[in-house]
Amino acid sequence: MYEGAVQDLIDELGRLPGVGPKSAQRIAFHLLAADPDEVKRLVDALTEVKNKVRFCERCGNVAQDELCRVCLDPRRSDATICVVEEPKDVVAIERTREFRGRYHVLGGAINPIAGVGPDDLRIAGLMSRLQDGTVTEVILATDPNVEGEATATYLARLLVPMGITVSRLASGLPVGGDLEYADEVTLGRAFEGRRRISA
Amino acid sequence: MRTYRDEGVVLRTHKLGEADRIVTLLTREHGVVRAVAKGVRRTSSKFGARLEPFMHVDLQLHVGRNLDIVTQVEMIGPYARAIVADYAMYTSGTVMLETAERLVDEREASLQQFRLLAGGVRSLAAGEHAPSLVLDSYLLRALAIAGWAPSFSECARCGAPGPHHSFAVALGGSVCLRCRPPGAASPAPETVTLLAALLAGDWEVADASQERHRREASGLVAAYSQFHLERRLRSLPHVERV
């Protein structure tokens, strides 16, 4: 145990995800030895993120104003919505530079054992965005795990009867991997989603 | 380095750190086991989709200080794929997984519970019967193995031969008129027949049952399960009964 303030800092850092007691101690002593300006920048960044950042009223992504950067961008297509679980998934898809539509962040996935059902997600918000007929395709980009797949199944069942094109991100072999190390489920899905190569 | 091999059904997973997961399994020989699957969330993971809930796998584990570590996994039954493609199957299946975790202790082998869950998940994925029937049958049989077998013929209190028309959750099933406590349910005779069939695994009778009797039976099974498990099953309110 250290003296008051140092121990308090270690305890607070140790509550962060992925930071164990040893890491918390290392970060605390790094901050203790750091330049005061550097520490002030960190303090300002933490204060600002809590004060200014909120969730976009339309899509649920992180935003500094009522609407996020993606929802405000007039160059993006309103015809396609990509549905993701978390704001960090928006960043992951944006990195691909393949998608130029809008997003909708559900805020999680259906996980009954954890007590998360459809009513706990931003599904009503998605449905209201589809009412005016502007959106013609919804891409379901929930995680390719059991909870994500079940969420996609649930959403597809709601959306298909509305006459909207519903698609799911493809699953298969990771680029740069070896076929022999792929598990049966992934390899099976890669076969199912194989595409024709035309000469 | 101490390692052991076992067969198990994945009950649930929790994220751990950057790319790991804590996987909870019901195993054949070691009861409920919680183990770390390192790097499983990376696309390049050697475990891939094998450690997802509902998967029936053959594993090798290394004994750790607090949690064991998964070192190898081979697939026995890839049931998750079929189950998540049907929302009613998924919600029913999650109740089965949560119940199994509740009924079996860590490191306490229960071969009967393991066989029942593995068979139940396989049957659910195969779509052999309505998901709600598979769930209700599983719940009744799992509780019976755990020592809370309901009675659907003799009176659960005095043993008077039935059939009886009242059902008292707290007394353990059907009760005669003399033993009937206030507030006991009065299910239709067909519902009691269905419940008995679900407990015995008489699928011919269960599959032929009517929707209204299935609904009534599900309500009684849910009440019976919650009462004996003492804590509420979080997944039960989310079950979609079609």
Side-chain angles (χ1 to χ4, degrees):
Chain A
M1 291 288 279
Y2 294 91
E3 295 280 320
V6 178
Q7 189 59 45
D8 289 348
L9 180 60
I10 292 172
D11 290 345
E12 288 305 316
L13 290 168
R15 287 164 60 176
L16 298 174
V19 180
K22 285 276 179 203
S23 306
Q25 185 178 302
R26 201 166 58 242
I27 298 167
F29 278 96
H30 169 80
L31 292 173
L32 212 56
D35 184 57
D37 287 342
E38 199 182 316
V39 177
K40 189 172 180 306
R41 278 202 301 278
L42 176 65
V43 171
D44 290 346
L46 288 171
T47 315
E48 198 155 330
V49 84
K50 275 317 280 179
N51 289 341
K52 286 192 179 168
V53 176
R54 51 186 173 167
F55 294 101
C56 173
E57 287 184 4
R58 191 179 295 163
C59 74
N61 191 9
V62 285
Q64 298 243 20
D65 298 299
E66 261 180 36
L67 297 180
C68 70
R69 198 168 40 85
V70 176
C71 286
L72 286 170
D73 189 345
R75 292 166 301 174
R76 300 188 77 113
S77 165
D78 287 323
T80 317
I81 287 183
C82 180
V83 179
V84 295
E85 289 181 20
E86 304 287 349
K88 59 185 178 353
D89 300 327
V90 172
V91 178
I93 294 174
E94 284 296 284
R95 276 204 304 264
T96 66
R97 296 169 188 266
E98 291 281 337
F99 179 65
R100 296 298 301 158
R102 309 282 183 189
Y103 290 94
H104 191 85
V105 182
L106 293 172
I110 298 172
N111 187 355
I113 295 185
V116 181
D119 296 341
D120 301 306
L121 306 177
R122 297 185 67 254
I123 293 175
L126 172 66
M127 301 309 282
S128 67
R129 291 179 73 183
L130 305 176
Q131 294 306 317
D132 64 1
T134 315
V135 179
T136 55
E137 183 181 1
V138 173
I139 302 168
L140 300 175
T142 49
D143 288 345
N145 53 29
V146 161
E147 293 82 18
E149 293 290 348
T151 308
T153 301
Y154 180 84
L155 289 174
R157 212 179 51 174
L158 291 180
L159 302 175
V160 170
M162 295 171 78
I164 296 167
T165 303
V166 181
S167 54
R168 177 93 177 101
L169 287 192
S171 284
L173 301 168
V175 176
D178 281 11
L179 199 74
E180 64 170 311
Y181 291 116
D183 66 277
E184 300 81 346
V185 179
T186 308
L187 194 53
R189 286 178 70 153
F191 259 100
E192 194 183 82
R194 70 188 184 277
R195 57 191 169 87
R196 183 190 292 265
I197 298 174
S198 42
Chain B
M1 186 165 115
R2 226 191 103 207
T3 60
Y4 64 96
R5 196 170 159 181
D6 207 339
E7 191 183 311
V9 175
V10 180
L11 303 178
R12 70 160 95 192
T13 62
H14 298 279
K15 285 181 183 175
L16 177 72
E18 280 278 310
D20 307 341
R21 273 204 185 110
I22 296 175
V23 183
T24 308
L25 304 117
L26 176 61
T27 62
R28 178 185 277 269
E29 289 167 24
H30 297 83
V32 169
V33 167
R34 281 155 48 83
V36 177
K38 291 196 171 174
V40 72
R41 282 153 61 202
R42 294 189 209 281
T43 51
S44 56
S45 165
K46 62 181 175 180
F47 302 132
R50 294 183 188 112
L51 289 174
E52 288 285 303
F54 301 110
M55 294 297 193
H56 183 183
V57 288
D58 183 359
L59 318 115
Q60 181 160 294
L61 297 116
H62 168 58
V63 179
R65 255 184 303 177
N66 297 318
L67 297 167
D68 295 350
I69 296 162
V70 181
T71 53
Q72 284 179 44
V73 188
E74 288 290 328
M75 185 78 79
I76 295 176
Y79 304 131
R81 197 168 164 212
I83 290 173
V84 295
D86 183 307
Y87 191 67
M89 268 189 203
Y90 172 67
T91 53
S92 294
T94 53
V95 179
M96 292 164 65
L97 301 183
E98 190 181 357
T99 308
E101 190 180 356
R102 197 71 72 75
L103 288 175
V104 183
D105 291 327
E106 284 195 34
R107 307 279 169 200
E108 295 266 335
S110 173
L111 185 59
Q112 277 182 295
Q113 290 285 8
F114 171 76
R115 282 188 176 153
L116 180 69
L117 181 71
V121 170
R122 187 203 55 74
S123 173
L124 189 69
E128 290 170 353
H129 313 285
S132 66
L133 290 180
V134 177
L135 169 61
D136 291 338
S137 178
Y138 170 80
L139 288 172
L140 289 172
R141 292 156 94 173
L143 288 166
I145 294 169
W148 296 300
S151 168
F152 298 118
S153 48
E154 294 86 24
C155 172
R157 189 153 179 245
C158 70
H164 302 294
H165 302 297
S166 300
F167 187 91
V169 166
L171 294 181
S174 296
V175 283
C176 67
L177 279 175
R178 272 195 313 171
C179 298
R180 185 184 197 275
S186 302
E190 293 89 342
T191 303
V192 179
T193 307
L194 170 60
L195 286 166
L198 290 171
L199 179 61
D202 184 349
W203 288 104
E204 216 168 294
V205 172
D207 288 336
S209 60
Q210 289 180 27
E211 189 53 42
R212 61 196 168 105
H213 299 131
R214 289 183 187 184
R215 283 191 182 279
E216 193 174 28
S218 293
L220 293 173
V221 172
Y224 191 81
S225 311
Q226 299 277 29
F227 180 83
H228 289 289
L229 290 171
E230 291 179 354
R231 268 194 1 248
R232 80 183 177 93
L233 291 165
R234 296 178 85 179
S235 50
L236 200 55
H238 298 288
V239 172
E240 189 177 71
R241 305 206 181 256
V242 283

